[in-house]
Amino acid sequence: MHLTSIGLGVLFFLITGVAWGQRPVLEGAASAGSGASFGSGDGETTVLLSPIFMDVDIIYYNDEMPKIEYVIGFQAELQGRVSAGIIPQLRLTNGPREWMVYGLIGAPLVFAPFVMFGVEAGGGLLWKFHPRYGAFAEIVLDLFIIGNDLPDDGILAQLDANIGFRMTF
Amino acid sequence: MARILIAAILISFVVSTHCGGECIRHSDCPNGLTCSAGACANKGEGSDEDAGSSSDEDAGSSSDSGTTTGDGGQDESTDSDSYTDSDGGADIPDSGQDDSSDSGTI
């Protein structure tokens, strides 16, 4: 029984990063943004406005390791097309404070109505104007390398910015 | 600050992402068009490779239909024709069978 509980605790820690005595914190965020998209044209780089998108994020961390955040983001493009995607992210922050700076890496996957997969990196600034609420701005560089929405042998780079609100559940 | 953000959002809505038919992704193009070399084009116009592959498929289907007519007709002359078609197979069909496939498609 004791070994079982230890085993479950280790498994829980491996999955969530939460050990006994740590308090998990769950936060949510919603944002919207756009930016510039770069793709390969006829021998030169084509630059277009990125479609306006909306993001809904579920952010998880524990209070003993508040500088590491695990994020599942849901993103929808809403301009010129409607697409849906999911973005797992890992964020490193300077800890919970009124002005929080963070960097992020992620792996965006657009799954409907077409498929695109890539990697992303970026950073953001969160202003917690209330113990439970905050506003943030992010700049993210996405690099899509695989997908049936990309021309043959083409890659898509997007430099996007988004702003939104974040709250603690 | 809020006014600037609202203006930026409105501007990005107003400015079309499809100016001049430029594209980066297939979804930048209207329905039925694909993105090729930075411009929207019909699927068949994309490249010679596309046309080649489609003609190969057409040639295959036309030879199938030729075989079936041969079976139905049972004429020796048509049989010999179908044999020459199949013999020409890989090389001749690009020029010869394209016409037949086009007419068959139409």
Side-chain angles (χ1 to χ4, degrees):
Chain A
M1 179 65 182
H2 184 63
L3 289 177
T4 303
S5 59
I6 291 175
L8 288 175
V10 170
L11 183 63
F12 187 67
F13 173 76
L14 290 176
I15 294 175
T16 65
V18 176
W20 302 122
Q22 295 181 345
R23 188 175 66 89
V25 179
L26 207 57
E27 300 191 348
S31 63
S34 182
S37 296
F38 305 86
S40 53
D42 190 9
E44 58 186 17
T45 300
T46 302
V47 184
L48 296 176
L49 283 174
S50 297
I52 288 177
F53 62 87
M54 289 193 67
D55 256 336
V56 174
D57 296 334
I58 297 173
I59 303 153
Y60 167 85
Y61 63 92
N62 69 71
D63 61 352
E64 289 193 3
M65 297 172 63
K67 294 185 177 181
I68 300 177
E69 296 181 342
Y70 306 90
V71 182
I72 290 290
F74 301 92
Q75 187 176 88
E77 291 176 311
L78 302 173
Q79 186 182 20
R81 79 225 73 190
V82 177
S83 70
I86 186 169
I87 309 173
Q89 282 181 356
L90 181 66
R91 295 179 182 174
L92 298 178
T93 78
N94 61 346
R97 56 189 69 187
E98 184 180 3
W99 290 92
M100 188 175 87
V101 181
Y102 57 91
L104 64 90
I105 55 173
L109 169 66
V110 180
F111 56 83
F114 42 78
V115 176
M116 286 199 305
F117 178 74
V119 294
E120 71 176 19
L125 178 66
L126 169 67
W127 172 40
K128 295 207 85 170
F129 55 81
H130 182 275
R132 288 189 62 195
Y133 304 105
F136 70 94
E138 277 180 4
I139 295 179
V140 178
L141 176 64
D142 292 273
L143 193 63
F144 290 99
I145 50 179
I146 302 172
N148 59 11
D149 196 37
L150 302 175
D152 293 340
D153 301 326
I155 63 171
L156 169 67
Q158 286 186 329
L159 182 61
D160 293 333
N162 57 317
I163 55 172
F165 292 96
R166 175 165 160 169
M167 67 171 291
T168 304
F169 293 125
Chain B
M1 182 66 178
R3 289 179 182 177
I4 294 174
L5 293 174
I6 292 172
I9 293 173
L10 289 177
I11 288 172
S12 60
F13 264 118
V14 170
V15 176
S16 170
T17 57
H18 306 302
C19 292
E22 286 185 323
C23 63
I24 298 174
R25 304 156 55 179
H26 295 316
S27 60
D28 289 331
C29 301
N31 287 339
L33 302 181
T34 60
C35 184
S36 177
C40 296
N42 288 319
K43 289 181 179 178
E45 295 176 357
S47 65
D48 293 333
E49 297 171 1
D50 292 338
S53 61
S54 62
S55 65
D56 287 340
E57 292 173 1
D58 292 339
S61 61
S62 64
S63 65
D64 290 341
S65 62
T67 304
T68 53
T69 51
D71 291 340
Q74 296 296 327
D75 292 336
E76 294 177 357
S77 60
T78 54
D79 285 341
S80 64
D81 287 341
S82 65
Y83 285 132
T84 53
D85 286 343
S86 60
D87 288 339
D91 298 329
I92 298 173
D94 286 340
S95 59
Q97 290 190 350
D98 278 347
D99 295 335
S100 64
S101 65
D102 289 340
S103 62
T105 304
I106 293 170

